[in-house]
Amino acid sequence: MDETGECCADDSERRYTIRDMAKRFHMEPSALRYYEEVGLLPGVERTASGQRVYRQWHVWRLGSICCFKDAGMTIDEIKRFFMYEANEDEHIDDMVELLTERRAAIEEQRRALEEAYHHVLRKLHFYGDIRDSLRDGTPRPDWKDYGDKIFTD
């Protein structure tokens, strides 16, 4: 596929520069160099002038790296996953365990974030109502009336 998502005649022959990759994945070129340095993006070829050349395989791999990073995996966990993936028949249980642990961590993060979101909504309503009371000259609200409420907006 090209940068617009359209299929090219032969994606396996498509070449990408470090600038192409950085733009596509919204990251600094230094991040790509780091991923290469730590072994997450192996097999990056160089032109005669030393410019990095990425292939479609690298696009797919970097997509996985970004997803795993967004999911909170460490560089070591991502390296371990790719090591397992290279011999998945032997390491299928390890892969499933690593992904299951990450799913559990994400679920905990989602729960904590949802709790924080509802707390912020309570505070937003509380302080919004204080602002209204100051403008209207009405009695101030009391936090005890907000502390257990669930607001949806």
Side-chain angles (χ1 to χ4, degrees), residues 3-4 19-20 26 29 49-50 56 63 65 78 80 99 111-112 120 130 132 147 151:
E3 54 278 345
T4 65
R19 176 184 271 175
D20 296 332
H26 311 285
S49 63
Q56 186 61 44
I65 292 167
I78 297 170
R80 196 168 0 128
L99 294 171
R111 186 204 57 73
V120 167
I130 288 176
D132 293 346
F151 293 97

Side-chain angles (χ1 to χ4, degrees), residues 5-21:
E6 297 298 318
C7 189
C8 300
D10 187 359
D11 277 344
S12 65
E13 294 303 313
R14 181 75 196 259
R15 308 282 198 283
Y16 303 90
T17 66
I18 197 167
R19 176 184 271 175
D20 296 332
M21 295 289 279

Side-chain angles (χ1 to χ4, degrees), residues 84-101:
Y84 294 157
E85 189 180 54
N87 190 356
E88 63 186 29
D89 289 353
E90 185 177 320
H91 292 285
I92 193 68
D93 291 334
D94 298 317
M95 291 173 71
V96 170
E97 181 180 348
L98 181 64
L99 294 171
T100 299
E101 289 171 1

Side-chain angles (χ1 to χ4, degrees), residues 9 15 51 81 97 109 111 123 138:
R15 308 282 198 283
Q51 226 179 9
F81 177 84
E97 181 180 348
Q109 290 171 333
R111 186 204 57 73
K123 290 285 193 183
T138 57

